[in-house]
């Protein structure tokens, strides 16, 4: 029966159409499965989004230091007593907190010189500008003392808790 169909004149007349239709279908199928190309034949570059992961936020613990930083500022006509607090990562809380509680004078003493030095700059033109300028140099000084001891610098931030001006 298959031989009879192949020998029929209708089949032989439609065979080229079947071959062309099959080739066209195969070409269309493979073209749809390929990536898009521009007219010059090169592939388009896909834009990739760069995701920047933020470092995990460090939990902070605050320690109020009970000793004040004292300095006399002659051109402003007064003495200042500054009570500070430090923010440290909670993972070093106990060891660092003990160092601040046992004897904070080692950390506090150099800060008086910073107050006097800053008072002689533009930051020392008024009590307000002096107060605003102190936290960063205080932080750097305290962290440097830890580095000098061979420890990692733990202070993330210095807070001015009280800023008292006396005559």
């Amino acid at each position: 029966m298959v031989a009879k169909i192949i020998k029929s004149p209708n089949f032989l007349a439609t065979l080229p159409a079947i071959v062309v239709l099959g080739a066209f279908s195969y070409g269309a199928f493979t073209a749809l499965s390929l990536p898009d190309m521009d007219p010059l034949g090169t592939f388009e570059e896909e834009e990739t989004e760069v995701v920047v992961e933020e470092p995990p936020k460090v939990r902070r613990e605050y320690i109020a230091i009970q000793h004040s930083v004292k300095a006399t500022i002659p051109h402003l006509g007064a003495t200042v007593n500054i009570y500070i607090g430090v923010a440290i990562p909670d993972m070093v809380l106990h060891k660092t907190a003990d160092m601040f509680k046992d004897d904070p004078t080692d950390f506090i003493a150099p800060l008086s010189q910073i107050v006097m030095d800053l008072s002689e700059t533009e930051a020392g033109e008024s009590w307000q500008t002096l107060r605003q300028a102190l936290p960063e140099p205080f932080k750097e000084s305290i962290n440097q003392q830890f580095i000098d001891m061979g420890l990692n610098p733990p202070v993330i931030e210095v807070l001015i808790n009280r800023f008292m001006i006396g005559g």
Side-chain angles (χ1 to χ4, degrees), residues 14-84:
T14 58
L15 184 61
I18 292 172
V19 170
V20 169
L21 183 62
F24 179 76
S25 297
Y26 176 77
F29 176 76
T30 55
L32 291 175
S33 65
L34 293 176
D36 292 337
M37 294 181 12
D38 66 10
L40 299 175
T42 60
F43 289 100
E44 291 181 14
E45 292 184 26
E46 293 182 19
E47 291 184 23
T48 56
E49 183 177 329
V50 177
V51 178
V52 177
E53 292 185 26
E54 291 184 25
K57 291 190 177 183
V58 176
R59 284 197 51 222
R60 298 175 179 202
E61 295 291 334
Y62 294 90
I63 301 170
I65 298 178
Q66 301 304 315
H67 290 62
S68 68
V69 178
K70 296 177 185 173
T72 301
I73 314 297
H75 72 278
L76 292 176
T79 299
V80 65
N81 282 325
I82 306 166
Y83 288 88
I84 65 170

Side-chain angles (χ1 to χ4, degrees), residues 5 8 37 66 69 71 75 80-81 113 116 130 144 152 154 157 161 167:
I5 292 175
S8 77
M37 294 181 12
Q66 301 304 315
V69 178
H75 72 278
V80 65
N81 282 325
Q113 187 62 45
M116 289 186 286
L130 181 61
Q144 185 59 50
N152 289 329
E157 178 182 21
N161 293 335

